[in-house]
Amino acid sequence: HLDRVLERISSESGIDFAMREHTLRVRPNGSLEGRIYYRGPRNAPNPASVRLDLTRDEQVARPPVVRPIQHLYSDQLPEPATVRCYSLEEVYAEKIRAMGERGRPRDLYDIVFLLDYPGLVDQSELISETLITKCESKGVPVPTLERLQESPHRAELESEWVNMLGHQLPALPPLDHYWGRLPELFRWLDGELEVEPLAPVAGGAGEMVWSPSPAAWSWGSGPALEPVRFAGANRLCIDLGYRGTVCRIEPYSLRVTSDGNLLLYAIRRDNRQLRSYRVDRMQSIEITTEPFTPVRLVEFRQVGPLAAPPTTRRSVGGRGTSSAQPYRVECAVCGKTFARSRPGTRLKAHKDPDGFPCPGRVGYPV
């Protein structure tokens, strides 16, 4: 079955799965793990790989949910382009269970990160029940704050915090900040902590919160705001370069004004004043490792990346103008790049950088 699937994918996408035989291993319980090797449009000399881990004995405690497959490229996936997933409540419960068993840096990061997810604020009872079900199915004790604090994995967690997470994140929050929020997490799970909703930033008349879908970002589409989104979602301060000065801020929201400007609302760390900053006037954005405790609703998505849309302004008696940057596509064969006004990866006949005809007709966004 796997060979037929790979043949179909290869015929429709051009991805080469034949350069190296895939490896599969069946576990005693019937589960399967392995790797599929492939070479994509960049024709790299060494194959890339996708890891497979198919489990047969996992107890699913909550009904699966169907979610759209999102990606960052202009190519459209065939309909319906959906996949069955764990519910977010079960993902959270599974992460807490894993933290109790192995205590890896990624587990700690995830369970604290999800603690701030707006859609889970009122789901503590359901997550707690799901956690108990998952632990019973695995035959392991339900994690508690005391067990985590006494865990022998704490020393390994401290030593591996930077090694395991430093290369995965734009800025790595300090371990003490995440470890220090565990009491809050377990009070919330036990129903002892009532989370009071924060009020959003009070913006100007006619402003709207700007928050595109995770798949709306495209290469070269505008000023990169991913550091702002990441910092806000992770409750980290930013050193913002703006009009010749640098100030440290707490990012809270991106708003579109009635005349088409994109504003970042933030609180300055030095004087605690709420300020708005025009995105097109920002000179630099640097994420710090200094955490902040929100005093307003943080209105950034938990997932990225994020880039600003082309700025469109309306003038009295005139038509709007756009400052959109062109898309850039690199030929998968010769490496030559082409500017585009619209997204797309198909290429016309062209010459390579040495002046010879190139057979490449497909590129990838850069």
Side-chain angles (χ1 to χ4, degrees):
H1 295 293
L2 179 59
D3 290 334
R4 290 201 299 269
V5 170
L6 295 180
E7 288 177 5
R8 178 182 174 185
I9 296 174
S10 180
S11 65
E12 294 186 5
S13 67
I15 297 175
D16 179 13
F17 295 100
M19 64 181 306
R20 181 172 174 179
E21 185 71 20
H22 50 260
T23 59
L24 298 175
R25 183 177 72 88
V26 180
R27 303 189 188 103
N29 63 359
S31 299
L32 181 145
E33 65 178 352
R35 286 188 179 273
I36 296 174
Y37 297 91
Y38 69 94
R39 179 163 55 193
R42 301 185 69 172
N43 288 318
N46 297 319
S49 65
V50 175
R51 181 184 175 186
L52 292 180
D53 193 344
L54 307 179
T55 304
R56 295 188 60 184
D57 59 351
E58 177 72 27
Q59 179 175 346
V60 180
R62 299 289 305 159
V65 295
V66 177
R67 297 190 181 278
I69 300 173
Q70 297 173 332
H71 62 92
L72 307 178
Y73 302 98
S74 59
D75 308 66
Q76 296 299 316
L77 294 174
E79 294 295 338
T82 57
V83 63
R84 290 166 64 86
C85 308
Y86 273 140
S87 69
L88 193 54
E89 295 83 5
E90 185 155 358
V91 170
Y92 202 177
E94 186 67 19
K95 279 292 181 180
I96 298 172
R97 181 199 62 77
M99 181 65 193
E101 282 195 79
R102 60 191 185 187
R104 293 179 181 173
R106 186 76 210 194
D107 299 327
L108 176 60
Y109 175 86
D110 287 342
I111 63 176
V112 174
F113 183 80
L114 288 172
L115 184 60
D116 295 319
Y117 189 76
L120 296 175
V121 169
D122 58 351
Q123 298 298 319
S124 60
E125 183 177 356
L126 177 59
I127 293 170
S128 181
E129 293 174 354
T130 306
L131 174 61
I132 293 172
T133 301
K134 302 292 285 188
C135 290
E136 288 177 348
S137 69
K138 295 282 187 179
V140 298
V142 177
T144 64
L145 177 61
E146 292 73 21
R147 285 196 177 101
L148 291 186
Q149 290 175 334
E150 298 171 359
S151 171
H153 300 298
R154 174 63 194 270
E156 181 181 355
L157 182 69
E158 293 178 349
S159 64
E160 293 298 321
W161 182 254
V162 175
N163 292 337
M164 295 188 68
L165 294 181
H167 64 287
Q168 299 185 40
L169 303 172
L172 180 60
L175 169 62
D176 290 343
H177 171 66
Y178 277 72
W179 188 263
R181 294 195 65 187
L182 287 179
E184 177 187 352
L185 167 64
F186 283 97
R187 286 180 59 208
W188 175 71
L189 281 176
D190 294 338
E192 300 173 357
L193 179 65
E194 184 175 349
V195 180
E196 297 183 3
L198 296 172
V201 168
E207 291 181 358
M208 298 179 61
V209 175
W210 184 75
S211 183
S213 68
W217 182 85
S218 59
W219 301 98
S221 62
L225 293 177
E226 171 58 13
V228 176
R229 185 212 62 81
F230 176 87
N234 286 273
R235 312 307 193 250
L236 294 175
C237 293
I238 289 174
D239 284 338
L240 178 67
Y242 193 78
R243 289 187 167 182
T245 63
V246 177
C247 58
R248 183 157 293 190
I249 61 172
E250 303 171 4
Y252 283 94
S253 179
L254 284 167
R255 305 283 181 89
V256 178
T257 66
S258 57
D259 59 357
N261 288 313
L262 187 60
L263 303 179
L264 168 64
Y265 277 92
I267 291 179
R268 290 184 57 133
R269 293 289 280 182
D270 54 0
N271 56 22
R272 305 305 300 164
Q273 290 184 354
L274 177 66
R275 294 287 305 275
S276 64
Y277 302 90
R278 272 182 48 169
V279 168
D280 58 344
R281 293 176 179 172
M282 293 180 183
Q283 297 168 315
S284 63
I285 302 170
E286 183 177 350
I287 308 171
T288 74
T289 57
E290 180 182 350
F292 70 90
T293 301
V295 295
R296 291 286 188 271
L297 178 65
V298 177
E299 297 178 308
F300 295 104
R301 287 184 177 271
Q302 305 297 95
V303 292
L306 179 64
T311 302
T312 301
R313 302 185 183 89
R314 292 195 299 270
S315 57
V316 178
R319 299 178 63 183
T321 60
S322 174
S323 61
Q325 298 179 359
Y327 297 91
R328 299 191 68 82
V329 179
E330 181 174 319
C331 176
V333 176
C334 70
K336 192 173 182 178
T337 58
F338 302 87
R340 293 283 185 84
S341 60
R342 297 180 180 180
T345 56
R346 302 296 299 179
L347 298 176
K348 296 181 180 179
H350 61 277
K351 295 183 179 181
D352 63 22
D354 296 323
F356 296 99
C358 175
R361 295 296 181 268
V362 178
Y364 56 91
V366 294

mmCIF file with all atom_site columns, all heavy atoms in Angstrom, residues 162-178:
data_model
loop_
_atom_site.group_PDB
_atom_site.id
_atom_site.type_symbol
_atom_site.label_atom_id
_atom_site.label_alt_id
_atom_site.label_comp_id
_atom_site.label_asym_id
_atom_site.label_entity_id
_atom_site.label_seq_id
_atom_site.pdbx_PDB_ins_code
_atom_site.Cartn_x
_atom_site.Cartn_y
_atom_site.Cartn_z
_atom_site.occupancy
_atom_site.B_iso_or_equiv
_atom_site.pdbx_formal_charge
_atom_site.auth_seq_id
_atom_site.auth_comp_id
_atom_site.auth_asym_id
_atom_site.auth_atom_id
_atom_site.pdbx_PDB_model_num
ATOM 1   N N   . VAL A 1 162 ? 18.778 24.522 26.625 1.00 0.00 ? 162 VAL A N   1
ATOM 2   C CA  . VAL A 1 162 ? 19.320 25.268 25.483 1.00 0.00 ? 162 VAL A CA  1
ATOM 3   C C   . VAL A 1 162 ? 19.624 24.332 24.322 1.00 0.00 ? 162 VAL A C   1
ATOM 4   O O   . VAL A 1 162 ? 19.334 24.646 23.157 1.00 0.00 ? 162 VAL A O   1
ATOM 5   C CB  . VAL A 1 162 ? 20.577 26.047 25.902 1.00 0.00 ? 162 VAL A CB  1
ATOM 6   C CG1 . VAL A 1 162 ? 21.217 26.727 24.685 1.00 0.00 ? 162 VAL A CG1 1
ATOM 7   C CG2 . VAL A 1 162 ? 20.228 27.096 26.954 1.00 0.00 ? 162 VAL A CG2 1
ATOM 8   N N   . ASN A 1 163 ? 20.191 23.161 24.608 1.00 0.00 ? 163 ASN A N   1
ATOM 9   C CA  . ASN A 1 163 ? 20.585 22.242 23.534 1.00 0.00 ? 163 ASN A CA  1
ATOM 10  C C   . ASN A 1 163 ? 19.400 21.783 22.694 1.00 0.00 ? 163 ASN A C   1
ATOM 11  O O   . ASN A 1 163 ? 19.499 21.663 21.467 1.00 0.00 ? 163 ASN A O   1
ATOM 12  C CB  . ASN A 1 163 ? 21.287 21.015 24.122 1.00 0.00 ? 163 ASN A CB  1
ATOM 13  C CG  . ASN A 1 163 ? 22.631 21.360 24.727 1.00 0.00 ? 163 ASN A CG  1
ATOM 14  O OD1 . ASN A 1 163 ? 23.234 22.371 24.372 1.00 0.00 ? 163 ASN A OD1 1
ATOM 15  N ND2 . ASN A 1 163 ? 23.098 20.533 25.650 1.00 0.00 ? 163 ASN A ND2 1
ATOM 16  N N   . MET A 1 164 ? 18.255 21.526 23.336 1.00 0.00 ? 164 MET A N   1
ATOM 17  C CA  . MET A 1 164 ? 17.119 20.963 22.623 1.00 0.00 ? 164 MET A CA  1
ATOM 18  C C   . MET A 1 164 ? 16.188 22.012 22.038 1.00 0.00 ? 164 MET A C   1
ATOM 19  O O   . MET A 1 164 ? 15.460 21.732 21.078 1.00 0.00 ? 164 MET A O   1
ATOM 20  C CB  . MET A 1 164 ? 16.330 20.026 23.547 1.00 0.00 ? 164 MET A CB  1
ATOM 21  C CG  . MET A 1 164 ? 17.102 18.795 23.977 1.00 0.00 ? 164 MET A CG  1
ATOM 22  S SD  . MET A 1 164 ? 16.088 17.594 24.877 1.00 0.00 ? 164 MET A SD  1
ATOM 23  C CE  . MET A 1 164 ? 14.987 17.025 23.582 1.00 0.00 ? 164 MET A CE  1
ATOM 24  N N   . LEU A 1 165 ? 16.182 23.227 22.600 1.00 0.00 ? 165 LEU A N   1
ATOM 25  C CA  . LEU A 1 165 ? 15.229 24.239 22.140 1.00 0.00 ? 165 LEU A CA  1
ATOM 26  C C   . LEU A 1 165 ? 15.887 25.448 21.485 1.00 0.00 ? 165 LEU A C   1
ATOM 27  O O   . LEU A 1 165 ? 15.232 26.160 20.725 1.00 0.00 ? 165 LEU A O   1
ATOM 28  C CB  . LEU A 1 165 ? 14.367 24.725 23.314 1.00 0.00 ? 165 LEU A CB  1
ATOM 29  C CG  . LEU A 1 165 ? 13.420 23.711 23.949 1.00 0.00 ? 165 LEU A CG  1
ATOM 30  C CD1 . LEU A 1 165 ? 12.635 24.363 25.082 1.00 0.00 ? 165 LEU A CD1 1
ATOM 31  C CD2 . LEU A 1 165 ? 12.469 23.127 22.921 1.00 0.00 ? 165 LEU A CD2 1
ATOM 32  N N   . GLY A 1 166 ? 17.154 25.679 21.780 1.00 0.00 ? 166 GLY A N   1
ATOM 33  C CA  . GLY A 1 166 ? 17.802 26.899 21.297 1.00 0.00 ? 166 GLY A CA  1
ATOM 34  C C   . GLY A 1 166 ? 17.791 27.051 19.796 1.00 0.00 ? 166 GLY A C   1
ATOM 35  O O   . GLY A 1 166 ? 17.659 28.159 19.271 1.00 0.00 ? 166 GLY A O   1
ATOM 36  N N   . HIS A 1 167 ? 17.906 25.944 19.053 1.00 0.00 ? 167 HIS A N   1
ATOM 37  C CA  . HIS A 1 167 ? 17.949 26.017 17.592 1.00 0.00 ? 167 HIS A CA  1
ATOM 38  C C   . HIS A 1 167 ? 16.562 25.996 16.966 1.00 0.00 ? 167 HIS A C   1
ATOM 39  O O   . HIS A 1 167 ? 16.429 26.165 15.754 1.00 0.00 ? 167 HIS A O   1
ATOM 40  C CB  . HIS A 1 167 ? 18.759 24.839 17.044 1.00 0.00 ? 167 HIS A CB  1
ATOM 41  C CG  . HIS A 1 167 ? 18.144 23.496 17.312 1.00 0.00 ? 167 HIS A CG  1
ATOM 42  N ND1 . HIS A 1 167 ? 18.145 22.924 18.563 1.00 0.00 ? 167 HIS A ND1 1
ATOM 43  C CD2 . HIS A 1 167 ? 17.490 22.628 16.499 1.00 0.00 ? 167 HIS A CD2 1
ATOM 44  C CE1 . HIS A 1 167 ? 17.529 21.754 18.509 1.00 0.00 ? 167 HIS A CE1 1
ATOM 45  N NE2 . HIS A 1 167 ? 17.114 21.553 17.274 1.00 0.00 ? 167 HIS A NE2 1
ATOM 46  N N   . GLN A 1 168 ? 15.512 25.802 17.775 1.00 0.00 ? 168 GLN A N   1
ATOM 47  C CA  . GLN A 1 168 ? 14.157 25.699 17.231 1.00 0.00 ? 168 GLN A CA  1
ATOM 48  C C   . GLN A 1 168 ? 13.362 26.992 17.345 1.00 0.00 ? 168 GLN A C   1
ATOM 49  O O   . GLN A 1 168 ? 12.330 27.132 16.685 1.00 0.00 ? 168 GLN A O   1
ATOM 50  C CB  . GLN A 1 168 ? 13.389 24.589 17.955 1.00 0.00 ? 168 GLN A CB  1
ATOM 51  C CG  . GLN A 1 168 ? 13.996 23.210 17.809 1.00 0.00 ? 168 GLN A CG  1
ATOM 52  C CD  . GLN A 1 168 ? 13.125 22.137 18.442 1.00 0.00 ? 168 GLN A CD  1
ATOM 53  O OE1 . GLN A 1 168 ? 11.907 22.165 18.334 1.00 0.00 ? 168 GLN A OE1 1
ATOM 54  N NE2 . GLN A 1 168 ? 13.754 21.188 19.114 1.00 0.00 ? 168 GLN A NE2 1
ATOM 55  N N   . LEU A 1 169 ? 13.822 27.923 18.166 1.00 0.00 ? 169 LEU A N   1
ATOM 56  C CA  . LEU A 1 169 ? 13.046 29.123 18.453 1.00 0.00 ? 169 LEU A CA  1
ATOM 57  C C   . LEU A 1 169 ? 13.847 30.376 18.132 1.00 0.00 ? 169 LEU A C   1
ATOM 58  O O   . LEU A 1 169 ? 15.071 30.391 18.283 1.00 0.00 ? 169 LEU A O   1
ATOM 59  C CB  . LEU A 1 169 ? 12.640 29.150 19.931 1.00 0.00 ? 169 LEU A CB  1
ATOM 60  C CG  . LEU A 1 169 ? 11.847 27.942 20.443 1.00 0.00 ? 169 LEU A CG  1
ATOM 61  C CD1 . LEU A 1 169 ? 11.689 28.021 21.953 1.00 0.00 ? 169 LEU A CD1 1
ATOM 62  C CD2 . LEU A 1 169 ? 10.495 27.862 19.762 1.00 0.00 ? 169 LEU A CD2 1
ATOM 63  N N   . PRO A 1 170 ? 13.179 31.440 17.686 1.00 0.00 ? 170 PRO A N   1
ATOM 64  C CA  . PRO A 1 170 ? 13.886 32.701 17.427 1.00 0.00 ? 170 PRO A CA  1
ATOM 65  C C   . PRO A 1 170 ? 14.575 33.254 18.667 1.00 0.00 ? 170 PRO A C   1
ATOM 66  O O   . PRO A 1 170 ? 15.627 33.877 18.575 1.00 0.00 ? 170 PRO A O   1
ATOM 67  C CB  . PRO A 1 170 ? 12.771 33.641 16.948 1.00 0.00 ? 170 PRO A CB  1
ATOM 68  C CG  . PRO A 1 170 ? 11.680 32.747 16.466 1.00 0.00 ? 170 PRO A CG  1
ATOM 69  C CD  . PRO A 1 170 ? 11.753 31.521 17.326 1.00 0.00 ? 170 PRO A CD  1
ATOM 70  N N   . ALA A 1 171 ? 13.961 33.061 19.818 1.00 0.00 ? 171 ALA A N   1
ATOM 71  C CA  . ALA A 1 171 ? 14.552 33.458 21.099 1.00 0.00 ? 171 ALA A CA  1
ATOM 72  C C   . ALA A 1 171 ? 14.071 32.463 22.139 1.00 0.00 ? 171 ALA A C   1
ATOM 73  O O   . ALA A 1 171 ? 12.887 32.123 22.175 1.00 0.00 ? 171 ALA A O   1
ATOM 74  C CB  . ALA A 1 171 ? 14.153 34.877 21.483 1.00 0.00 ? 171 ALA A CB  1
ATOM 75  N N   . LEU A 1 172 ? 14.969 31.996 22.972 1.00 0.00 ? 172 LEU A N   1
ATOM 76  C CA  . LEU A 1 172 ? 14.618 30.974 23.952 1.00 0.00 ? 172 LEU A CA  1
ATOM 77  C C   . LEU A 1 172 ? 14.291 31.624 25.292 1.00 0.00 ? 172 LEU A C   1
ATOM 78  O O   . LEU A 1 172 ? 15.159 32.229 25.923 1.00 0.00 ? 172 LEU A O   1
ATOM 79  C CB  . LEU A 1 172 ? 15.772 29.984 24.126 1.00 0.00 ? 172 LEU A CB  1
ATOM 80  C CG  . LEU A 1 172 ? 15.535 28.847 25.121 1.00 0.00 ? 172 LEU A CG  1
ATOM 81  C CD1 . LEU A 1 172 ? 14.335 28.013 24.696 1.00 0.00 ? 172 LEU A CD1 1
ATOM 82  C CD2 . LEU A 1 172 ? 16.778 27.979 25.239 1.00 0.00 ? 172 LEU A CD2 1
ATOM 83  N N   . PRO A 1 173 ? 13.046 31.509 25.744 1.00 0.00 ? 173 PRO A N   1
ATOM 84  C CA  . PRO A 1 173 ? 12.699 32.048 27.061 1.00 0.00 ? 173 PRO A CA  1
ATOM 85  C C   . PRO A 1 173 ? 13.477 31.319 28.154 1.00 0.00 ? 173 PRO A C   1
ATOM 86  O O   . PRO A 1 173 ? 13.847 30.156 27.996 1.00 0.00 ? 173 PRO A O   1
ATOM 87  C CB  . PRO A 1 173 ? 11.192 31.773 27.169 1.00 0.00 ? 173 PRO A CB  1
ATOM 88  C CG  . PRO A 1 173 ? 10.729 31.564 25.761 1.00 0.00 ? 173 PRO A CG  1
ATOM 89  C CD  . PRO A 1 173 ? 11.888 30.937 25.050 1.00 0.00 ? 173 PRO A CD  1
ATOM 90  N N   . PRO A 1 174 ? 13.714 31.972 29.280 1.00 0.00 ? 174 PRO A N   1
ATOM 91  C CA  . PRO A 1 174 ? 14.483 31.325 30.351 1.00 0.00 ? 174 PRO A CA  1
ATOM 92  C C   . PRO A 1 174 ? 13.715 30.165 30.973 1.00 0.00 ? 174 PRO A C   1
ATOM 93  O O   . PRO A 1 174 ? 12.497 30.208 31.125 1.00 0.00 ? 174 PRO A O   1
ATOM 94  C CB  . PRO A 1 174 ? 14.707 32.459 31.361 1.00 0.00 ? 174 PRO A CB  1
ATOM 95  C CG  . PRO A 1 174 ? 13.630 33.456 31.077 1.00 0.00 ? 174 PRO A CG  1
ATOM 96  C CD  . PRO A 1 174 ? 13.359 33.365 29.612 1.00 0.00 ? 174 PRO A CD  1
ATOM 97  N N   . LEU A 1 175 ? 14.450 29.124 31.352 1.00 0.00 ? 175 LEU A N   1
ATOM 98  C CA  . LEU A 1 175 ? 13.842 27.943 31.965 1.00 0.00 ? 175 LEU A CA  1
ATOM 99  C C   . LEU A 1 175 ? 13.095 28.301 33.244 1.00 0.00 ? 175 LEU A C   1
ATOM 100 O O   . LEU A 1 175 ? 11.992 27.795 33.492 1.00 0.00 ? 175 LEU A O   1
ATOM 101 C CB  . LEU A 1 175 ? 14.925 26.905 32.258 1.00 0.00 ? 175 LEU A CB  1
ATOM 102 C CG  . LEU A 1 175 ? 14.515 25.706 33.129 1.00 0.00 ? 175 LEU A CG  1
ATOM 103 C CD1 . LEU A 1 175 ? 13.427 24.885 32.452 1.00 0.00 ? 175 LEU A CD1 1
ATOM 104 C CD2 . LEU A 1 175 ? 15.721 24.832 33.440 1.00 0.00 ? 175 LEU A CD2 1
ATOM 105 N N   . ASP A 1 176 ? 13.671 29.171 34.063 1.00 0.00 ? 176 ASP A N   1
ATOM 106 C CA  . ASP A 1 176 ? 13.043 29.505 35.344 1.00 0.00 ? 176 ASP A CA  1
ATOM 107 C C   . ASP A 1 176 ? 11.652 30.096 35.162 1.00 0.00 ? 176 ASP A C   1
ATOM 108 O O   . ASP A 1 176 ? 10.760 29.880 35.990 1.00 0.00 ? 176 ASP A O   1
ATOM 109 C CB  . ASP A 1 176 ? 13.926 30.482 36.123 1.00 0.00 ? 176 ASP A CB  1
ATOM 110 C CG  . ASP A 1 176 ? 15.197 29.823 36.634 1.00 0.00 ? 176 ASP A CG  1
ATOM 111 O OD1 . ASP A 1 176 ? 15.239 28.576 36.662 1.00 0.00 ? 176 ASP A OD1 1
ATOM 112 O OD2 . ASP A 1 176 ? 16.148 30.550 36.990 1.00 0.00 ? 176 ASP A OD2 1
ATOM 113 N N   . HIS A 1 177 ? 11.456 30.846 34.089 1.00 0.00 ? 177 HIS A N   1
ATOM 114 C CA  . HIS A 1 177 ? 10.140 31.430 33.839 1.00 0.00 ? 177 HIS A CA  1
ATOM 115 C C   . HIS A 1 177 ? 9.105  30.335 33.594 1.00 0.00 ? 177 HIS A C   1
ATOM 116 O O   . HIS A 1 177 ? 7.986  30.396 34.121 1.00 0.00 ? 177 HIS A O   1
ATOM 117 C CB  . HIS A 1 177 ? 10.212 32.370 32.637 1.00 0.00 ? 177 HIS A CB  1
ATOM 118 C CG  . HIS A 1 177 ? 8.876  32.859 32.168 1.00 0.00 ? 177 HIS A CG  1
ATOM 119 N ND1 . HIS A 1 177 ? 8.069  33.678 32.936 1.00 0.00 ? 177 HIS A ND1 1
ATOM 120 C CD2 . HIS A 1 177 ? 8.192  32.633 31.015 1.00 0.00 ? 177 HIS A CD2 1
ATOM 121 C CE1 . HIS A 1 177 ? 6.956  33.940 32.276 1.00 0.00 ? 177 HIS A CE1 1
ATOM 122 N NE2 . HIS A 1 177 ? 7.000  33.323 31.112 1.00 0.00 ? 177 HIS A NE2 1
ATOM 123 N N   . TYR A 1 178 ? 9.477  29.325 32.815 1.00 0.00 ? 178 TYR A N   1
ATOM 124 C CA  . TYR A 1 178 ? 8.538  28.245 32.515 1.00 0.00 ? 178 TYR A CA  1
ATOM 125 C C   . TYR A 1 178 ? 8.342  27.338 33.729 1.00 0.00 ? 178 TYR A C   1
ATOM 126 O O   . TYR A 1 178 ? 7.213  26.936 34.037 1.00 0.00 ? 178 TYR A O   1
ATOM 127 C CB  . TYR A 1 178 ? 9.043  27.441 31.309 1.00 0.00 ? 178 TYR A CB  1
ATOM 128 C CG  . TYR A 1 178 ? 8.662  28.088 30.001 1.00 0.00 ? 178 TYR A CG  1
ATOM 129 C CD1 . TYR A 1 178 ? 9.274  29.263 29.581 1.00 0.00 ? 178 TYR A CD1 1
ATOM 130 C CD2 . TYR A 1 178 ? 7.664  27.559 29.204 1.00 0.00 ? 178 TYR A CD2 1
ATOM 131 C CE1 . TYR A 1 178 ? 8.913  29.879 28.402 1.00 0.00 ? 178 TYR A CE1 1
ATOM 132 C CE2 . TYR A 1 178 ? 7.296  28.163 28.015 1.00 0.00 ? 178 TYR A CE2 1
ATOM 133 C CZ  . TYR A 1 178 ? 7.921  29.323 27.621 1.00 0.00 ? 178 TYR A CZ  1
ATOM 134 O OH  . TYR A 1 178 ? 7.543  29.937 26.460 1.00 0.00 ? 178 TYR A OH  1
#
